[in-house]
Amino acid sequence: MALSGTEFTGTEFTGTEFIRIEGAREHNLADLTVRIPKRRLTVVTGVSGSGKSSLVMDTIAAESRRQFNETYASFVRNRLPHYGRPDVDRIENLSAAIVVDQRPLGGGARSTVGTVTDSYALPRLLWSRAGRPHIGESTAFSFNDPAGMCPGCAGLGSVRAVDVDQLVDAGRSLNGGAIRFPMFRVGGWMWRRYADTGLFDPDKPLRDYTEREWQQHGRAGGGRRFGRLAHLGLPTPVRNLIT
């Protein structure tokens, strides 16, 4: 049964010592009136579907966040999450709410505490307005925007790279399995793309290659790049790491 039509009170609390909700009708709440004491641990219990989340999350917390956002200027509000007014006649003595819900955190590699809690927009706005010297709008401080992200890590905070010395064994020849990547196993189709070109001696160890042979092999500059391999069928994640 949904919570409805009953006023729960604490006799020791008076005046502004409690939050008063009148006529709450959010979701399955049926015109509920209730008083919740402040500065006390209050537990809302009930069977599934009785309206616990509708009261706590969708009425009290939603209205608290809406009122809190109303304290900012319109320019700031346009950059904050928007919360609608819950279906309730009146809520009195409502304080700012800190919501810890049961939903798992979403997002991806670019998610941080600031982006998950929606608090990241305000520091960026402050830096763009008060920072000296002025370097641009708030997007200039965002790691998710090309204007603000680090060009080295693309805003991820870390750089992934292939250890070429692990990818190839310079002490071996092509026939000896110098390319350690499984797709280039000796005798395979990808291996033959190198061994059968006639550009290399397949029995010559890679460490004895000349600079020209390294360039033909794709490891330009004598040792830090192996770009040619990236275009011979490597999976996209590996290709992105190498090139």
Side-chain angles (χ1 to χ4, degrees), residues 199-200 204 208-217:
L199 298 174
F200 319 104
K204 182 179 181 179
D208 296 333
Y209 275 22
T210 65
E211 181 68 20
R212 178 178 176 79
E213 286 175 316
W214 272 120
Q215 291 176 355
Q216 290 174 331
H217 211 302

Side-chain angles (χ1 to χ4, degrees), residues 7 48 72 76 79 106 158 172 174 189 234:
E7 181 175 357
S48 178
Y72 292 104
V76 177
R79 286 159 173 76
S158 62
R172 296 185 181 184
L174 289 176
W189 178 78
L234 289 178

Side-chain angles (χ1 to χ4, degrees), residues 109-110 150-164 181 224-225 235-243:
R110 297 181 181 276
C150 167
C153 68
L156 293 176
S158 62
V159 177
R160 299 170 59 195
V162 169
D163 186 345
V164 177
F181 197 73
R224 290 302 99 195
R225 232 175 132 74
T236 299
V238 178
R239 182 186 310 125
N240 291 339
L241 288 175
I242 295 176
T243 56

